[in-house]
Amino acid sequence: SAKVTKFQLSNLGEDDITCLLSMKLCLPLRKTRRLAGLILSKTEGNPFFIVQYLKTIVENRMLQFSVDSCCWIWNYDVIDMQMISKGGVVELLATKFNQLPLPLMQTVKIVSCLGSQAEESTLRLLNSGHHVHRIVPFDLLNQIEIAVNEGIMEKVGSMYQFTHESIWQTIRELIPAENRKLLHKRIGTILLHSAANNSHLHLLAVDQINIFCRDGNPSPEERLQYANNNAVAAKFAISASSFEQGE
Protein backbone atom coordinates (compact mmCIF):
# COMPACT_ATOMS: atom_id res chain seq x y z
CA SER A 1 0.00 0.00 0.00
CA ALA A 2 1.10 3.54 -0.73
CA LYS A 3 2.40 5.73 2.06
CA VAL A 4 0.47 8.99 2.14
CA THR A 5 1.64 12.11 3.92
CA LYS A 6 -0.96 14.80 4.55
CA PHE A 7 -0.20 18.49 4.95
CA GLN A 8 -2.61 20.90 6.60
CA LEU A 9 -2.66 24.19 4.70
CA SER A 10 -4.00 27.25 6.48
CA ASN A 11 -5.38 30.23 4.59
CA LEU A 12 -2.84 32.67 3.18
CA GLY A 13 -2.59 36.27 4.33
CA GLU A 14 -2.03 39.37 2.23
CA ASP A 15 1.75 39.20 2.77
CA ASP A 16 1.81 35.57 1.62
CA ILE A 17 -0.16 36.34 -1.54
CA THR A 18 1.99 39.42 -2.21
CA CYS A 19 5.14 37.26 -2.06
CA LEU A 20 3.55 34.62 -4.27
CA LEU A 21 2.59 37.15 -6.93
CA SER A 22 5.96 38.87 -6.72
CA MET A 23 7.78 35.60 -7.28
CA LYS A 24 5.53 34.33 -10.11
CA LEU A 25 5.22 37.66 -11.93
CA CYS A 26 8.84 38.69 -11.34
CA LEU A 27 7.77 42.04 -9.93
CA PRO A 28 8.71 43.89 -6.73
CA LEU A 29 6.48 43.45 -3.70
CA ARG A 30 5.24 47.05 -3.82
CA LYS A 31 3.72 46.43 -7.28
CA THR A 32 1.84 43.27 -6.34
CA ARG A 33 0.51 44.21 -2.88
CA ARG A 34 -2.68 45.91 -4.10
CA LEU A 35 -3.54 43.00 -6.40
CA ALA A 36 -2.81 40.62 -3.52
CA GLY A 37 -5.32 42.45 -1.33
CA LEU A 38 -7.95 42.13 -4.04
CA ILE A 39 -7.30 38.41 -4.47
CA LEU A 40 -7.49 37.94 -0.71
CA SER A 41 -10.92 39.60 -0.64
CA LYS A 42 -12.16 37.34 -3.44
CA THR A 43 -10.78 34.04 -2.13
CA GLU A 44 -10.54 34.59 1.65
CA GLY A 45 -6.98 33.28 1.37
CA ASN A 46 -7.95 29.72 0.45
CA PRO A 47 -4.83 28.37 -1.40
CA PHE A 48 -6.86 26.29 -3.84
CA PHE A 49 -9.21 29.17 -4.64
CA ILE A 50 -6.26 31.52 -5.17
CA VAL A 51 -4.78 29.19 -7.80
CA GLN A 52 -8.14 28.83 -9.58
CA TYR A 53 -8.74 32.56 -9.45
CA LEU A 54 -5.33 33.35 -10.94
CA LYS A 55 -5.85 30.78 -13.70
CA THR A 56 -9.16 32.39 -14.59
CA ILE A 57 -7.95 35.97 -14.80
CA VAL A 58 -5.00 34.81 -16.93
CA GLU A 59 -7.31 32.80 -19.23
CA ASN A 60 -9.60 35.83 -19.56
CA ARG A 61 -6.57 38.04 -20.28
CA MET A 62 -7.26 40.27 -17.30
CA LEU A 63 -3.72 39.42 -16.18
CA GLN A 64 -1.36 39.10 -19.12
CA PHE A 65 2.22 39.47 -20.17
CA SER A 66 2.95 42.61 -22.18
CA VAL A 67 5.58 42.13 -24.88
CA ASP A 68 5.93 45.90 -25.23
CA SER A 69 6.56 46.45 -21.51
CA CYS A 70 8.31 43.09 -20.99
CA CYS A 71 6.32 42.52 -17.78
CA TRP A 72 2.97 41.33 -16.47
CA ILE A 73 0.18 43.91 -16.54
CA TRP A 74 -3.41 44.05 -15.29
CA ASN A 75 -6.32 46.40 -14.81
CA TYR A 76 -7.24 46.41 -11.13
CA ASP A 77 -10.76 47.78 -11.69
CA VAL A 78 -11.59 45.18 -14.36
CA ILE A 79 -10.49 42.33 -12.06
CA ASP A 80 -12.36 43.89 -9.15
CA MET A 81 -15.61 43.70 -11.14
CA GLN A 82 -15.32 39.93 -11.50
CA MET A 83 -17.05 37.57 -9.04
CA ILE A 84 -17.81 40.09 -6.32
CA SER A 85 -19.52 37.65 -3.95
CA LYS A 86 -17.58 35.59 -1.41
CA GLY A 87 -18.81 32.46 -3.16
CA GLY A 88 -17.44 33.73 -6.45
CA VAL A 89 -14.70 31.10 -6.78
CA VAL A 90 -17.21 28.30 -6.24
CA GLU A 91 -19.35 29.87 -8.97
CA LEU A 92 -16.22 30.02 -11.11
CA LEU A 93 -15.64 26.31 -10.59
CA ALA A 94 -19.23 25.51 -11.53
CA THR A 95 -18.88 27.53 -14.73
CA LYS A 96 -15.61 25.80 -15.64
CA PHE A 97 -17.02 22.33 -14.95
CA ASN A 98 -20.11 23.00 -17.08
CA GLN A 99 -17.74 23.66 -19.98
CA LEU A 100 -16.11 20.22 -19.71
CA PRO A 101 -16.73 17.65 -22.48
CA LEU A 102 -19.92 15.71 -21.77
CA PRO A 103 -18.30 12.28 -21.12
CA LEU A 104 -15.83 13.82 -18.65
CA MET A 105 -18.59 15.77 -16.90
CA GLN A 106 -20.77 12.65 -16.63
CA THR A 107 -17.84 10.70 -15.23
CA VAL A 108 -16.93 13.11 -12.43
CA LYS A 109 -20.62 13.43 -11.51
CA ILE A 110 -20.85 9.64 -11.14
CA VAL A 111 -17.72 9.51 -9.00
CA SER A 112 -19.00 12.37 -6.84
CA CYS A 113 -22.02 10.25 -5.89
CA LEU A 114 -19.63 7.72 -4.33
CA GLY A 115 -18.09 10.42 -2.12
CA SER A 116 -14.95 12.50 -2.25
CA GLN A 117 -12.97 9.36 -3.12
CA ALA A 118 -13.63 5.96 -4.67
CA GLU A 119 -11.73 2.71 -5.01
CA GLU A 120 -10.44 1.83 -8.45
CA SER A 121 -11.98 -1.64 -8.15
CA THR A 122 -15.43 -0.12 -7.64
CA LEU A 123 -15.03 2.10 -10.68
CA ARG A 124 -13.91 -0.90 -12.74
CA LEU A 125 -17.14 -2.69 -11.84
CA LEU A 126 -19.19 0.28 -13.00
CA ASN A 127 -17.16 0.22 -16.21
CA SER A 128 -17.41 -3.50 -16.93
CA GLY A 129 -19.98 -5.85 -18.42
CA HIS A 130 -22.59 -5.33 -21.10
CA HIS A 131 -24.22 -1.96 -21.64
CA VAL A 132 -27.17 -2.91 -19.44
CA HIS A 133 -24.78 -3.31 -16.48
CA ARG A 134 -22.54 -0.35 -17.32
CA ILE A 135 -23.17 3.06 -15.88
CA VAL A 136 -22.17 4.81 -19.14
CA PRO A 137 -21.62 3.62 -22.74
CA PHE A 138 -18.06 4.98 -22.87
CA ASP A 139 -14.85 4.03 -21.03
CA LEU A 140 -15.29 5.44 -17.52
CA LEU A 141 -11.70 4.79 -16.45
CA ASN A 142 -10.31 6.55 -19.49
CA GLN A 143 -12.32 9.64 -18.57
CA ILE A 144 -11.10 9.44 -14.97
CA GLU A 145 -7.52 9.54 -16.24
CA ILE A 146 -8.45 12.68 -18.17
CA ALA A 147 -9.88 14.11 -14.93
CA VAL A 148 -6.53 13.37 -13.26
CA ASN A 149 -4.65 15.14 -16.05
CA GLU A 150 -7.00 18.12 -15.71
CA GLY A 151 -6.25 18.35 -11.99
CA ILE A 152 -9.85 17.55 -11.00
CA MET A 153 -8.91 14.21 -9.47
CA GLU A 154 -5.77 12.43 -8.30
CA LYS A 155 -4.81 8.82 -7.71
CA VAL A 156 -3.44 7.78 -4.33
CA GLY A 157 -2.64 4.08 -4.18
CA SER A 158 -5.77 2.22 -5.29
CA MET A 159 -8.02 5.23 -4.65
CA TYR A 160 -9.14 8.03 -6.91
CA GLN A 161 -10.05 11.20 -5.06
CA PHE A 162 -11.03 14.75 -5.87
CA THR A 163 -8.12 17.13 -5.47
CA HIS A 164 -10.14 19.43 -3.23
CA GLU A 165 -13.34 19.02 -1.25
CA SER A 166 -14.77 22.13 -2.93
CA ILE A 167 -14.39 20.43 -6.32
CA TRP A 168 -16.28 17.37 -5.09
CA GLN A 169 -19.06 19.44 -3.53
CA THR A 170 -19.39 21.71 -6.54
CA ILE A 171 -19.63 18.83 -9.01
CA ARG A 172 -22.13 16.99 -6.84
CA GLU A 173 -24.32 20.09 -6.56
CA LEU A 174 -24.32 20.44 -10.34
CA ILE A 175 -26.43 17.27 -10.56
CA PRO A 176 -30.15 18.14 -10.33
CA ALA A 177 -31.63 16.62 -7.16
CA GLU A 178 -33.97 14.24 -9.01
CA ASN A 179 -31.20 13.05 -11.33
CA ARG A 180 -28.86 12.57 -8.38
CA LYS A 181 -31.36 10.28 -6.63
CA LEU A 182 -31.73 8.16 -9.76
CA LEU A 183 -27.97 8.06 -10.23
CA HIS A 184 -27.51 6.72 -6.69
CA LYS A 185 -30.11 4.06 -7.49
CA ARG A 186 -28.37 3.14 -10.74
CA ILE A 187 -24.96 2.87 -9.06
CA GLY A 188 -26.38 0.76 -6.22
CA THR A 189 -28.20 -1.58 -8.61
CA ILE A 190 -25.10 -2.18 -10.74
CA LEU A 191 -22.91 -2.83 -7.68
CA LEU A 192 -25.49 -5.25 -6.22
CA HIS A 193 -25.31 -7.32 -9.40
CA SER A 194 -21.58 -7.76 -8.80
CA ALA A 195 -21.60 -8.02 -5.00
CA ALA A 196 -22.29 -11.76 -4.57
CA ASN A 197 -20.69 -12.56 -1.17
CA ASN A 198 -18.45 -9.51 -1.18
CA SER A 199 -19.54 -7.80 2.04
CA HIS A 200 -17.73 -4.51 1.37
CA LEU A 201 -19.27 -4.17 -2.10
CA HIS A 202 -22.72 -5.15 -0.83
CA LEU A 203 -22.60 -2.53 1.92
CA LEU A 204 -21.48 0.12 -0.55
CA ALA A 205 -24.31 -0.81 -2.92
CA VAL A 206 -26.90 -0.69 -0.14
CA ASP A 207 -25.63 2.72 0.97
CA GLN A 208 -26.27 4.00 -2.55
CA ILE A 209 -29.74 2.44 -2.65
CA ASN A 210 -30.62 3.90 0.75
CA ILE A 211 -29.68 7.40 -0.41
CA PHE A 212 -32.19 6.96 -3.22
CA CYS A 213 -34.85 5.60 -0.86
CA ARG A 214 -34.55 8.55 1.57
CA ASP A 215 -35.80 11.05 -0.98
CA GLY A 216 -36.97 8.89 -3.83
CA ASN A 217 -40.22 7.08 -4.43
CA PRO A 218 -39.51 3.35 -4.70
CA SER A 219 -42.33 1.04 -5.70
CA PRO A 220 -43.72 -1.53 -3.18
CA GLU A 221 -41.75 -4.24 -5.00
CA GLU A 222 -38.56 -2.19 -4.78
CA ARG A 223 -39.14 -1.48 -1.08
CA LEU A 224 -39.36 -5.22 -0.40
CA GLN A 225 -36.24 -5.92 -2.44
CA TYR A 226 -34.30 -3.13 -0.74
CA ALA A 227 -35.43 -4.32 2.69
CA ASN A 228 -33.98 -7.74 1.89
CA ASN A 229 -30.76 -6.11 0.67
CA ASN A 230 -30.51 -4.20 3.95
CA ALA A 231 -31.11 -7.38 5.94
CA VAL A 232 -28.18 -9.03 4.16
CA ALA A 233 -26.08 -5.93 4.78
CA ALA A 234 -26.93 -6.10 8.49
CA LYS A 235 -25.74 -9.70 8.63
CA PHE A 236 -22.49 -8.74 6.95
CA ALA A 237 -22.03 -5.90 9.43
CA ILE A 238 -22.70 -8.13 12.43
CA SER A 239 -20.33 -10.83 11.22
CA ALA A 240 -17.61 -8.23 10.73
CA SER A 241 -18.10 -6.74 14.19
CA SER A 242 -16.22 -7.66 17.36
CA PHE A 243 -19.35 -8.42 19.41
CA GLU A 244 -18.42 -12.06 19.90
CA GLN A 245 -14.88 -11.14 20.94
CA GLY A 246 -16.24 -8.81 23.59
CA GLU A 247 -18.35 -11.48 25.22
Side-chain angles (χ1 to χ4, degrees), residues 61-209:
R61 301 186 64 79
M62 290 182 279
L63 172 63
Q64 58 183 313
F65 187 80
S66 170
V67 176
D68 294 334
S69 304
C70 292
C71 67
W72 287 87
I73 60 173
W74 61 89
N75 186 313
Y76 180 93
D77 293 330
V78 171
I79 297 175
D80 190 24
M81 291 173 62
Q82 306 301 312
M83 301 175 299
I84 296 175
S85 67
K86 288 185 178 180
V89 181
V90 174
E91 295 166 12
L92 177 155
L93 289 175
T95 300
K96 289 173 71 74
F97 293 147
N98 276 324
Q99 295 172 349
L100 293 175
L102 184 58
L104 179 56
M105 190 66 219
Q106 288 180 322
T107 297
V108 293
K109 283 181 176 179
I110 289 167
V111 179
S112 75
C113 287
L114 293 166
S116 60
Q117 60 184 21
E119 293 184 8
E120 182 178 4
S121 58
T122 301
L123 298 172
R124 286 190 179 280
L125 287 174
L126 295 176
N127 196 50
S128 63
H130 300 293
H131 285 304
V132 68
H133 288 150
R134 289 182 68 172
I135 193 88
V136 287
F138 50 81
D139 191 330
L140 188 75
L141 291 174
N142 180 60
Q143 293 299 315
I144 290 176
E145 289 302 323
I146 295 176
V148 171
N149 292 335
E150 290 288 330
I152 299 171
M153 302 191 71
E154 61 186 355
K155 189 175 184 183
V156 180
S158 62
M159 302 287 291
Y160 283 98
Q161 63 185 31
F162 289 96
T163 52
H164 195 278
E165 188 171 339
S166 294
I167 289 183
W168 166 54
Q169 292 175 341
T170 301
I171 291 174
R172 193 171 186 279
E173 290 302 316
L174 286 176
I175 311 172
E178 189 62 30
N179 293 355
R180 190 162 61 239
K181 288 185 292 187
L182 295 176
L183 189 51
H184 281 296
K185 177 184 178 182
R186 178 70 173 149
I187 292 172
T189 301
I190 292 175
L191 294 181
L192 277 173
H193 275 98
S194 304
N197 292 320
N198 185 321
S199 60
H200 172 74
L201 193 57
H202 187 94
L203 291 169
L204 178 60
V206 169
D207 281 344
Q208 291 290 310
I209 292 293

Side-chain angles (χ1 to χ4, degrees), residues 3-108:
K3 182 179 180 180
V4 179
T5 302
K6 293 186 177 181
F7 294 93
Q8 184 68 38
L9 293 179
S10 58
N11 286 351
L12 303 181
E14 184 173 326
D15 288 343
D16 300 315
I17 302 173
T18 301
C19 290
L20 173 66
L21 292 175
S22 179
M23 179 179 64
K24 291 298 183 181
L25 304 181
C26 298
L27 291 170
L29 297 174
R30 59 183 174 80
K31 289 194 173 183
T32 59
R33 184 167 297 279
R34 188 174 181 223
L35 178 59
L38 176 58
I39 293 174
L40 176 63
S41 70
K42 300 290 186 180
T43 64
E44 298 183 337
N46 183 300
F48 175 78
F49 287 172
I50 291 171
V51 172
Q52 295 303 313
Y53 192 88
L54 287 172
K55 284 182 178 179
T56 299
I57 61 176
V58 169
E59 289 171 0
N60 293 334
R61 301 186 64 79
M62 290 182 279
L63 172 63
Q64 58 183 313
F65 187 80
S66 170
V67 176
D68 294 334
S69 304
C70 292
C71 67
W72 287 87
I73 60 173
W74 61 89
N75 186 313
Y76 180 93
D77 293 330
V78 171
I79 297 175
D80 190 24
M81 291 173 62
Q82 306 301 312
M83 301 175 299
I84 296 175
S85 67
K86 288 185 178 180
V89 181
V90 174
E91 295 166 12
L92 177 155
L93 289 175
T95 300
K96 289 173 71 74
F97 293 147
N98 276 324
Q99 295 172 349
L100 293 175
L102 184 58
L104 179 56
M105 190 66 219
Q106 288 180 322
T107 297
V108 293

